[in-house]
Amino acid sequence: MNFDLANFEQNQTGLVECLGLIFPLIFPNDQERRNHFLKRLHEGLEELFAKLGGVPFTTVEEAVERMKSVEKWPMGDETRLREIAERMREEHRKEPEKDLLQLWKDQIGFPYQQETDEDGNTAWKPFSKLGARQAILNDLSPAATFIAYNYNTPVDVQAFEVEAKRILKEVEEECGWMYATLANPVNGEPEEWAVKLRTCKTADEIRKLLKSNSHWGRINYTVWSDVFICPECTQEVVFWEAAVDKEAGKVHKEFPCPNCGAILTKRNMERAWVTRYDKAIGETIRQAKQVPVLINYSIGKRRYEKKPDAFDLALIEKIEQLDIPYWFPTDRMMFKGEQWGDTWRAGVHAGITHVHHFYTKRNLWVLGVIKSKISISQALLMFNSQLINISKLNRYRPEVSFPYNPLSGTLYVALQVSEANIFTAYENKFKRLLNAFAKVKGYSLIFTETTGNSEIEDKTIDYIFTDPPFGGNLMYSELNFLWEAWLKVFTNNKPEAITNKVQGKGLLEYQHLMTECFKEYYRVLKPGRWMTVEFHNSKNSVWNAIQEAIQTAGFVIADVRTLDKKQGSFKQVTSASAVKQDLIISAYKPNGGLEERFRLTAGTEEGVWDFVRSHLAKLPVFVASKAGQAEAGKGRHGDTEMRGKGENAASPRRPFSDSLEIIAERCNYLLY
Ligand SMILES: C[S@@+](CC[C@H](N)C(=O)[O-])C[C@H]1O[C@@H](n2cnc3c(N)ncnc32)[C@H](O)[C@@H]1O
């Protein structure tokens, strides 16, 4: 059964008819239906507690009789009741102090427990009979599972704090000079300092030299601009100077050449190139020329801007001349170098062939120092978290106050790059991580492998949430390459489920890889359990491929809704435009009984009804909101409470009445 996005519409008649009862029941709306069954549930519970609660265990016969006498909570025929009673007797031998109701609850998997509230009153509260469960997190990318590990492993927050502060302090002492700039220099001062700087032969000498002046400003960021060649006068044109209106923070499409006045556009100019020897890889490389054009710096809490002066330029030049005495990654991009993948762009990445080419020498050096001092995993997470923001991927966007603006999902290097101060980046991140780590509870199992071939045993998983790749939306192994290069572990992208020209993967290959993954999900999921698939892609072909893959694996798609990440809510899909948003697909693994019955009765009317009945029993209940729009039925996933990503994880627990609804929906007979 495919959900055709264009035609999938909700039945709007309003009346709710419950089939499958001796006399079909019709309710004016779903709330009425819900109220009716909740009332029945309450009555059933009351009778149950009255007839089974607190009375000591006697004989199997008596237990059967007493279970039979419960009218409003049907427990099955005599054979089943006897089975339950026999098991109760066994358990009673082991734990004679337990009362009948408790033994009965254990056998039947009764989803209630007695709790005492703050006032000392006892009440029956619903709970998951499965108890606390462990999560298994899996991704193909080591960068992804490295993040997953650190956010899901309890950490000694104090140890992290001590370690992070120590590293930042030591690195600041060693490298702080790299972000020094003269604060309000008088005429000729920058030139004097530039001369002194040029006499220094080592980083130590520079550090000592700068200590002789106590009035340094601290660079927040340096803007670098591309340089072009004017086709008329063949002079260099610094894009920032010729095309950018600094007051308005705008870039002109057409602008005059500062040398000859010819009207220029980005397209009618050639780039200026620099050829240099790259000692790190022992090769001569040719790269697009970029020059520093603006410095934003602070003195105390006040911020200032200036054009780089003679000292600033000399400092950059000096750093370029010195060797970085630390390790940094020099891997060829995707082990290829040129034209590394689908994120590669001729006009953008010419000469950027290795990982270290994404960094200015200054930031590369500081990163190397930090990396050398890290000894715990959480500090490495902090380190990795800023690797993109402080790279050349950080676009300079004067209209945006936020300091980090890489174009997400790409490795785009803009015409104007903002080289961010590494210390500021890490100081900010450090505070946020401290808060996050303090909240981590419980362990998870983390696997780094293809979902298409997992080590998990058959039918052991209660619920699956998956956020798979969406066709060619994001080239994960390419985008993760910078992080992974610093981690020194790379994605094996052979089974990576994406469409990617350079990897030779089209839609068919994508669908095949996704099918392999869903088959594994199917294998490990317990029968009758649910899988939630998040999906985002505007192409119908990818949407169809995902649906095909889910169904080929054996799942039944029961529901599709849009996820409004801002609101954290689910809405039912009503139009094709919904594919532009995130979709939430709910699918279940039919339990073996249905499959077997379907096989035996295939082609018969009874077989069809059996499927329809089983499927309907799985479907969520729609609750009409005030606006008449369908919202998610609660408890679709059995014991699993599903939340939107944007929803506050610490939101209050569901009220008791809500939980009863969950139970009501889990009891198939109440759904019909
Ligand atoms: C949409 S992202 C989800 C990222 C993250 N796990 C989450 O849920 O937020 C898709 C992820 O699928 C991973 N991936 C791609 N092919 C895979 C495969 N065959 N097995 C496991 N993970 C795969 C990618 O590395 C990427 O991290």
Side-chain angles (χ1 to χ4, degrees):
M1 189 193 324
N2 271 20
F3 280 87
D4 176 349
L5 285 172
N7 299 318
F8 181 62
E9 281 187 6
Q10 193 198 349
N11 180 353
Q12 297 288 349
T13 57
L15 290 184
V16 179
E17 184 174 359
C18 291
L19 306 169
L21 301 167
I22 299 172
F23 301 107
L25 285 177
I26 297 177
F27 299 94
N29 55 46
D30 199 65
Q31 191 54 45
E32 291 292 325
R33 179 200 66 82
R34 194 175 286 263
N35 291 345
H36 170 84
F37 287 116
L38 279 176
K39 188 161 166 274
R40 277 185 52 183
L41 184 64
H42 272 294
E43 289 167 359
L45 281 170
E46 270 171 28
E47 189 194 10
L48 195 65
F49 298 143
K51 292 189 172 163
L52 295 191
V55 186
F57 183 83
T58 53
T59 61
V60 167
E61 289 311 319
E62 197 223 341
V64 171
E65 283 314 307
R66 279 169 61 184
M67 280 192 268
K68 258 205 248 173
S69 75
V70 179
E71 289 164 7
K72 292 177 180 156
W73 191 281
M75 293 172 223
D77 59 16
E78 175 122 13
T79 319
R80 177 165 152 74
L81 295 185
R82 196 160 290 280
E83 256 175 48
I84 296 171
E86 298 277 358
R87 288 204 306 264
M88 283 160 63
R89 185 176 54 185
E90 281 309 301
E91 291 306 310
H92 185 248
R93 281 211 188 101
K94 290 182 216 153
E95 293 181 83
E97 70 283 358
K98 269 196 183 172
D99 78 1
L100 178 61
L101 184 59
Q102 186 56 49
L103 288 165
W104 176 81
K105 275 163 46 194
D106 291 348
Q107 291 311 315
I108 205 130
F110 190 67
Y112 285 83
Q113 65 191 5
Q114 212 160 23
E115 284 180 12
T116 309
D117 66 18
E118 287 156 358
D119 303 325
N121 301 321
T122 51
W124 288 95
K125 295 274 166 98
F127 78 108
S128 161
K129 69 187 165 84
L130 297 164
R133 274 163 284 168
Q134 303 283 13
I136 297 177
L137 308 170
N138 179 51
D139 199 290
L140 188 65
S141 153
T145 51
F146 177 69
I147 295 170
Y149 169 80
N150 283 294
Y151 279 124
N152 291 282
T153 306
V155 55
D156 180 344
V157 181
Q158 254 186 339
F160 165 71
E161 186 172 0
V162 170
E163 163 98 343
K165 281 185 175 162
R166 173 189 66 80
I167 293 172
L168 290 179
K169 186 165 170 282
E170 286 177 12
V171 181
E172 177 96 49
E173 275 163 18
E174 190 173 333
C175 300
W177 59 271
M178 294 190 193
Y179 301 101
T181 187
L182 284 164
N184 309 317
V186 293
N187 252 355
E189 203 183 350
E191 288 73 16
E192 274 174 33
W193 276 99
V195 171
K196 287 188 214 165
L197 196 59
R198 287 201 181 97
T199 63
C200 296
K201 296 209 167 41
T202 63
D204 268 348
E205 284 180 31
I206 302 175
R207 233 183 333 266
K208 269 188 211 137
L209 171 71
L210 299 200
K211 270 194 181 151
S212 63
N213 175 13
S214 57
H215 304 298
W216 294 107
R218 171 168 145 144
I219 295 177
N220 299 314
Y221 58 84
T222 302
V223 180
W224 293 72
S225 165
D226 270 13
V227 181
F228 291 87
I229 302 289
C230 170
E232 296 298 323
C233 66
T234 68
Q235 292 296 302
E236 283 192 352
V237 176
V238 177
F239 189 74
W240 166 265
E241 279 159 14
V244 179
D245 178 343
K246 282 98 188 163
E247 293 294 309
K250 290 228 155 69
V251 177
H252 297 298
K253 283 205 171 121
E254 288 191 346
F255 44 89
C257 168
N259 303 304
C260 69
I263 296 302
L264 302 174
T265 65
K266 228 168 34 181
R267 288 181 187 280
N268 73 6
M269 294 186 294
E270 289 285 323
R271 277 175 181 276
W273 296 92
V274 280
T275 302
R276 65 179 178 89
Y277 182 67
D278 183 346
K279 208 170 168 185
I281 50 173
E283 287 175 26
T284 300
I285 57 168
R286 183 173 175 264
Q287 290 184 318
K289 183 170 181 177
Q290 286 199 314
V291 292
V293 290
L294 177 80
I295 286 181
N296 180 297
Y297 66 105
S298 292
I299 302 171
K301 292 210 160 152
R302 292 201 63 180
R303 283 179 167 247
Y304 304 86
E305 286 195 345
K306 69 173 176 183
K307 195 175 164 180
D309 58 32
F311 169 79
D312 299 315
L313 297 176
L315 188 67
I316 289 170
E317 190 186 303
K318 203 75 217 171
I319 293 171
E320 285 296 331
Q321 286 165 5
L322 294 171
D323 290 339
I324 300 178
Y326 293 92
W327 175 87
F328 55 85
T330 55
D331 306 86
R332 281 179 187 280
M333 283 302 291
M334 301 302 287
F335 311 110
K336 285 190 169 72
E338 294 254 309
Q339 306 191 16
W340 65 72
D342 282 21
T343 50
W344 182 86
R345 296 282 177 280
V348 173
H349 296 117
I352 300 184
T353 50
H354 293 66
V355 170
H356 62 293
H357 295 159
F358 280 94
Y359 297 93
T360 60
K361 180 100 178 259
R362 167 165 46 197
N363 279 4
L364 193 61
W365 188 324
V366 183
L367 283 175
V369 185
I370 298 178
K371 179 77 169 57
S372 74
K373 293 181 184 292
I374 289 172
S375 65
I376 62 170
S377 168
Q378 288 73 23
L380 193 55
L381 177 79
M382 180 171 105
F383 175 79
N384 255 34
S385 69
Q386 296 296 310
L387 287 175
I388 300 300
N389 288 341
I390 54 188
S391 73
K392 290 185 184 175
L393 299 176
N394 191 27
R395 296 170 295 165
Y396 175 60
R397 296 180 70 201
E399 72 280 14
V400 179
S401 62
F402 191 67
Y404 311 115
N405 295 287
L407 189 60
S408 68
T410 72
L411 291 174
Y412 176 64
V413 181
L415 293 182
Q416 293 155 81
V417 167
S418 174
E419 180 199 19
N421 180 313
I422 288 190
F423 297 109
T424 314
Y426 283 119
E427 279 153 17
N428 293 340
K429 190 69 189 183
F430 164 66
K431 287 175 204 146
R432 291 204 299 278
L433 280 178
L434 264 188
N435 288 336
F437 287 150
K439 290 183 184 132
V440 177
K441 281 195 214 116
Y443 289 85
S444 303
L445 270 176
I446 320 274
F447 292 166
T448 308
E449 61 184 8
T450 172
T451 303
N453 183 18
S454 84
E455 293 157 37
I456 302 169
E457 282 178 27
D458 291 2
K459 301 179 190 169
T460 48
I461 302 296
D462 292 310
Y463 168 67
I464 291 171
F465 179 92
T466 180
D467 183 11
F470 318 116
N473 270 18
L474 292 167
M475 306 299 160
Y476 297 100
S477 54
E478 296 177 19
L479 297 169
N480 292 343
F481 201 79
L482 297 194
W483 287 311
E484 293 178 350
W486 284 96
L487 288 175
K488 303 185 189 174
V489 202
F490 295 92
T491 302
N492 164 15
N493 66 8
K494 232 178 159 182
E496 188 180 22
I498 55 172
T499 57
N500 182 300
K501 286 198 193 85
V502 172
Q503 287 183 29
K505 290 174 187 162
L507 200 64
L508 269 182
E509 287 75 13
Y510 167 70
Q511 187 174 322
H512 170 73
L513 287 161
M514 282 310 307
T515 305
E516 293 302 301
C517 294
F518 284 122
K519 276 185 178 164
E520 275 295 276
Y521 285 148
Y522 188 89
R523 182 181 67 74
V524 299
L525 192 64
K526 290 177 184 169
R529 296 302 171 100
W530 288 85
M531 172 178 72
T532 302
V533 184
E534 189 178 347
F535 176 86
H536 181 99
N537 187 297
S538 50
K539 280 193 190 156
N540 252 328
S541 54
V542 177
W543 167 238
N544 289 336
I546 277 276
Q547 283 190 93
E548 278 291 321
I550 294 174
Q551 289 171 131
T552 306
F555 285 99
V556 178
I557 296 178
D559 184 44
V560 182
R561 284 155 202 250
T562 62
L563 170 63
D564 180 347
K565 279 188 174 163
K566 270 185 246 137
Q567 304 293 326
S569 67
F570 302 94
K571 288 181 188 152
Q572 195 179 0
V573 175
T574 52
S575 75
S577 65
V579 192
K580 293 195 183 88
Q581 303 164 42
D582 277 27
L583 295 183
I584 292 293
I585 305 169
S586 295
Y588 65 88
K589 171 177 176 173
N591 51 41
L594 171 67
E595 281 170 327
E596 180 59 13
R597 291 198 305 278
F598 200 62
R599 196 180 60 75
L600 293 174
T601 56
T604 67
E605 193 181 328
E606 183 44 38
V608 173
W609 277 113
D610 188 15
F611 174 80
V612 171
R613 264 196 302 274
S614 297
H615 182 65
L616 282 180
K618 293 277 179 197
L619 288 183
V621 177
F622 292 102
V623 185
S625 70
K626 278 187 194 130
Q629 206 149 16
E631 287 177 354
K634 296 177 181 91
R636 262 179 307 152
H637 303 288
D639 299 292
T640 308
E641 191 172 310
M642 195 166 72
R643 285 204 174 106
K645 271 194 172 172
E647 237 177 282
N648 183 358
S651 64
R653 278 208 274 159
R654 287 180 192 289
F656 182 54
S657 56
D658 270 17
S659 305
L660 283 181
E661 290 179 30
I662 295 176
I663 308 298
E665 284 163 10
R666 281 166 42 159
C667 299
N668 293 350
Y669 70 92
L670 288 176
L671 265 176
Y672 283 32

